[in-house]
Amino acid sequence: MRVLGIETSCDETGVALYDSECGLLAEALHSQTDLHADYGGVVPELASRDHVRRLVSLIRNILDESSVPLSKLDAVAYTAGPGLVGALMVGAGFGQTLAWTLGIPAIAVHHMEGHLLAPLLGAGGDIELPFVALLVSGGHTQLVRVSGIGAYEMLGESVDDAAGEAFDKAAKMLGLDYPGGPALARCAETGDPGRFTFPRPMTDRPGLDFSFSGLKTFTLNTVSATEPLSEQDRADIARAFEEAVVDTLVIKCRRALEATGCTTLLMAGGVSANRRLRSALADRLDARVLYPAPALCTDNGAMIAYAGCQRLLAGQRTEHVIAVRARWPMAELPALAPG
């Protein structure tokens, strides 16, 4: 089965072609970082318009690269949520229209399920069930027990700011470039780990939920008390902030593994590219830890094509109706394997 994947949930236009027998045939990604840099964050209307401009040419490129004509597609998968409504509508409208024109199935994919399954592209699906997934994208921080595709038990999630949002906001406080998360991580590399000590939020109480708004406020207060900031001040604060987030995530992951008895942790989402976090999870957890390839950490079409293909093979179809959901709980996804 050859599935075209379309990802337009936020500020990256991603497309990919996945074959159920041969794997990933081709992919292309356009980032809108430069478009939104002057605003310090994503402008939804600009994001939607840029998806419209880029989508057709990107799809043509991957079809040419893979030498697969439109007539040989078996399905079109697209991100239907969660995300920015206007951006989602671009991908959903194009995906549904193309599928209807070709007379092939359309598959509406949950964005976070795409992230969750992305590490399996590299692992070849060779992973023992059940496992725990840590999903750390820009707007989500979640711990999920996974017993099959669609069989997801939410163990804990962010009650306010997600880790990715906290990274971006802390970077903005420090006057770092957009996008903030990678900029803060780079800045932290030269920071003194002993100068500042930041709190590890919600680790002093039971449970697996996350809260990073207090850490954001603590960072703001530290910046205000230290101004004017030198480059070393920025690096020291960035290091303290990053270590606080990493420690918090490691502590919660350890709790989740102990509570479920699982021995494998999958981490996915944009923050999963953070090198300090990857190293800490590998060194401090008594578990097998899997990550996506670096190119699959951020939003991309490959994860949507792969997730769509898995659901297509299980017999799932989506009606030819253009509908998206800005908020979409993973618990509402139909299970394709016994839990």
Side-chain angles (χ1 to χ4, degrees):
M1 304 292 284
R2 290 172 176 167
V3 179
L4 173 68
I6 300 173
E7 157 59 27
T8 62
S9 65
C10 190
D11 60 342
E12 274 130 354
T13 312
V15 298
L17 185 59
Y18 181 82
D19 187 293
S20 58
E21 294 184 357
C22 302
L24 189 62
L25 300 181
E27 62 175 322
L29 181 71
H30 174 76
S31 173
Q32 299 178 2
T33 297
D34 292 342
L35 177 65
H36 302 289
D38 290 342
Y39 305 96
V42 178
V43 181
E45 179 63 22
L46 295 180
S48 302
R49 294 186 180 203
D50 201 57
H51 289 311
V52 172
R53 283 193 292 266
R54 307 289 179 178
L55 196 53
V56 172
S57 61
L58 289 175
I59 291 175
R60 283 176 175 163
N61 289 343
I62 66 164
L63 292 177
D64 290 343
E65 179 184 340
S66 60
S67 299
V68 175
L70 280 174
S71 60
K72 296 299 182 181
L73 295 180
D74 294 296
V76 179
Y78 60 90
T79 304
L84 303 174
V85 171
L88 291 168
M89 285 295 292
V90 175
F94 188 93
Q96 280 282 8
T97 301
L98 181 60
W100 180 81
T101 302
L102 297 174
I104 58 178
I107 308 292
V109 174
H110 191 288
H111 179 74
M112 296 309 295
E113 183 175 52
H115 276 304
L116 189 154
L117 298 179
L120 303 185
L121 275 165
D126 178 23
I127 181 170
E128 183 178 351
L129 294 167
F131 61 84
V132 171
L134 171 65
L135 304 179
V136 274
S137 70
H140 300 81
T141 303
Q142 300 173 326
L143 280 167
V144 184
R145 181 184 183 273
V146 180
S147 53
I149 296 179
Y152 308 132
E153 176 190 355
M154 190 65 63
L155 302 173
E157 58 187 329
S158 50
V159 298
D160 42 52
D161 284 1
E165 291 174 314
F167 263 102
D168 289 340
K169 291 175 181 177
K172 197 167 186 177
M173 296 173 197
L174 293 171
L176 301 177
D177 292 337
Y178 174 85
L184 187 144
R186 289 192 298 271
C187 182
E189 290 178 1
T190 57
D192 177 0
R195 182 178 176 189
F196 297 105
T197 300
F198 282 23
R200 277 58 173 161
M202 294 185 71
T203 59
D204 59 348
R205 68 191 77 174
L208 295 172
D209 284 337
F210 302 89
S211 170
F212 292 104
S213 64
L215 183 60
K216 177 189 66 178
T217 302
F218 193 94
T219 304
L220 179 60
N221 291 338
T222 303
V223 169
S224 298
T226 313
E227 289 180 329
L229 298 178
S230 66
E231 289 304 309
Q232 190 59 50
D233 291 334
R234 288 188 174 86
D236 293 345
I237 294 173
R239 178 67 177 266
F241 173 87
E242 184 180 46
E243 289 195 347
V245 174
V246 168
D247 283 354
T248 300
L249 293 174
V250 171
I251 291 169
K252 297 286 186 170
C253 286
R254 182 184 295 115
R255 288 183 186 176
L257 291 167
E258 292 172 350
T260 60
C262 295
T263 58
T264 300
L265 175 77
L266 261 72
M267 180 174 66
V271 182
S272 68
N274 183 280
R275 290 185 292 177
R276 198 177 304 278
L277 177 57
R278 288 191 175 210
S279 177
L281 290 172
D283 294 343
R284 294 162 56 185
L285 295 182
D286 184 19
R288 180 189 183 196
V289 183
L290 299 177
Y291 320 96
L296 299 180
C297 290
T298 56
D299 297 348
N300 61 87
M303 69 183 193
I304 302 304
Y306 179 74
C309 186
Q310 303 312 304
R311 290 193 167 272
L312 179 69
L313 292 172
Q316 182 174 324
R317 304 288 190 277
T318 300
E319 293 183 7
H320 284 307
V321 176
I322 301 173
V324 299
R325 298 180 63 176
R327 298 182 181 274
W328 186 4
M330 287 183 66
E332 296 181 8
L333 290 173
L336 303 185

Coordinates of all heavy atoms in Angstrom, one line a residue, residues 7-12 51 79 81-85 87-88 111 299:
E7 N 1.2 16.9 6.2 CA 1.2 17.5 7.6 C 1.2 19.0 7.4 O 2.1 19.6 6.9 CB 2.4 17.0 8.3 CG 2.9 17.9 9.5 CD 1.9 18.1 10.6 OE1 1.0 17.2 10.8 OE2 2.0 19.1 11.2
T8 N 0.1 19.6 8.0 CA 0.0 21.1 7.9 C -0.6 21.6 9.2 O -1.4 22.5 9.2 CB -0.8 21.6 6.7 OG1 -2.2 21.1 6.9 CG2 -0.2 21.1 5.4
S9 N -0.2 21.0 10.4 CA -0.9 21.4 11.6 C -0.5 22.7 12.2 O -1.2 23.3 12.9 CB -0.7 20.3 12.6 OG 0.7 20.2 13.0
C10 N 0.7 23.2 11.8 CA 1.2 24.4 12.4 C 2.1 25.2 11.4 O 1.6 25.7 10.5 CB 2.0 24.1 13.7 SG 2.4 25.6 14.7
D11 N 3.4 25.1 11.6 CA 4.3 26.0 10.8 C 5.3 25.2 10.0 O 6.3 25.8 9.6 CB 5.0 27.0 11.7 CG 5.9 26.3 12.7 OD1 5.7 25.1 13.0 OD2 6.8 27.0 13.3
E12 N 5.0 24.0 9.7 CA 5.8 23.2 8.7 C 4.9 22.5 7.8 O 3.9 21.9 8.1 CB 6.7 22.2 9.5 CG 8.0 22.7 10.0 CD 8.3 22.4 11.4 OE1 7.4 21.9 12.1 OE2 9.4 22.8 11.9
H51 N 1.2 27.3 3.7 CA 0.9 25.9 3.3 C 0.2 25.8 1.9 O 0.6 24.9 1.2 CB -0.1 25.3 4.4 CG 0.5 25.1 5.7 ND1 1.7 24.4 5.9 CD2 0.0 25.4 7.0 CE1 2.0 24.4 7.2 NE2 1.0 24.9 7.9
T79 N -3.1 15.3 8.4 CA -3.3 15.6 9.8 C -4.7 16.4 10.0 O -4.9 17.4 9.4 CB -2.2 16.5 10.3 OG1 -0.9 15.9 10.1 CG2 -2.4 16.8 11.8
G81 N -5.9 17.0 13.2 CA -5.9 17.7 14.5 C -5.0 16.9 15.4 O -4.5 15.8 15.1
P82 N -4.7 17.5 16.6 CA -4.9 18.9 16.9 C -3.9 19.8 16.2 O -2.9 19.4 15.7 CB -4.7 18.9 18.5 CG -3.7 17.7 18.7 CD -4.0 16.7 17.6
G83 N -4.2 21.1 16.3 CA -3.4 22.1 15.6 C -4.1 23.4 15.4 O -5.2 23.6 15.9
L84 N -3.6 24.2 14.5 CA -4.2 25.5 14.1 C -5.3 25.2 13.1 O -5.0 24.5 12.1 CB -3.2 26.4 13.5 CG -2.0 26.8 14.4 CD1 -1.0 27.7 13.6 CD2 -2.5 27.5 15.7
V85 N -6.5 25.7 13.3 CA -7.6 25.3 12.5 C -7.4 25.6 11.0 O -7.6 24.8 10.1 CB -8.9 26.0 13.0 CG1 -10.1 25.8 12.0 CG2 -9.3 25.4 14.3
A87 N -4.6 26.1 9.4 CA -3.5 25.3 8.8 C -4.0 23.9 8.6 O -3.7 23.3 7.5 CB -2.3 25.3 9.7
L88 N -4.7 23.3 9.5 CA -5.3 22.0 9.4 C -6.2 21.9 8.2 O -6.2 20.9 7.4 CB -6.0 21.6 10.6 CG -5.2 21.3 11.9 CD1 -6.1 21.2 13.1 CD2 -4.4 20.0 11.7
H111 N -2.4 14.1 15.0 CA -1.0 14.6 15.0 C -0.1 14.0 16.0 O 1.0 13.6 15.7 CB -1.0 16.1 15.2 CG 0.3 16.8 15.2 ND1 1.0 17.0 14.1 CD2 1.1 17.3 16.2 CE1 2.2 17.6 14.4 NE2 2.2 17.8 15.7
D299 N 7.6 18.3 13.3 CA 6.4 17.9 12.4 C 6.9 17.5 11.0 O 7.8 18.2 10.5 CB 5.4 19.1 12.3 CG 4.8 19.4 13.7 OD1 5.0 18.7 14.6 OD2 4.2 20.5 13.8

